[in-house]
Amino acid sequence: MNTKFQIIKSPSKGTLDMLIRRMGTGNSKDLISTDAVGLVQGMMIDMICAADIAEKAVGVTVKDIKGSCPQNMIMIGIFGDTASVESAINEIKDSLKKEKDLC
């Protein structure tokens, strides 16, 4: 498992603009008022599961952050208040660790 996690607290307008552009057309500008952004990068199967875990765990919005990566890694953005983003990241870490322990 090569999953990476990063939390940006109080993201700048420029950072949010960059993320919104990478999400593509049709994405809401409502995310500009978010308190924190959790970034999670990993293999597609893990990121789809991570998005599901985050949305079920707490009141966050999860979006696919598009980019090019030759290693077939993708990134998701978790948007919400700081406590919810941190909680979502912890839930994802716990779930991925449990899966790894089962293997």
Side-chain angles (χ1 to χ4, degrees):
M1 177 175 54
N2 192 19
T3 305
K4 295 181 180 181
F5 301 89
Q6 188 74 43
I7 295 177
I8 303 171
K9 297 177 182 177
S10 301
S12 69
K13 181 184 179 315
T15 299
L16 289 171
D17 286 344
M18 180 188 338
L19 291 170
I20 289 170
R21 281 192 307 274
R22 290 191 163 276
M23 287 186 281
T25 58
N27 282 289
S28 174
K29 297 286 185 181
D30 294 341
L31 299 176
I32 289 180
S33 63
T34 193
D35 291 337
V37 178
L39 300 173
V40 185
Q41 181 179 358
M43 299 205 47
M44 182 176 290
I45 191 169
D46 291 333
M47 294 307 92
I48 292 171
C49 291
D52 187 60
I53 291 164
E55 288 185 339
K56 288 178 179 175
V58 290
V60 293
T61 301
V62 179
K63 298 288 186 173
D64 181 27
I65 308 297
K66 294 173 179 36
S68 61
C69 180
Q71 296 84 15
N72 295 317
M73 304 285 275
I74 66 165
M75 185 166 57
I76 59 172
I78 302 169
F79 298 84
D81 64 79
T82 302
S84 294
V85 170
E86 288 174 339
S87 181
I89 295 285
N90 288 331
E91 287 289 326
I92 293 166
K93 286 179 178 179
D94 289 346
S95 179
L96 292 176
K97 183 182 181 314
K98 285 177 190 173
E99 283 189 29
K100 182 181 177 188
D101 290 344
L102 291 175
C103 295

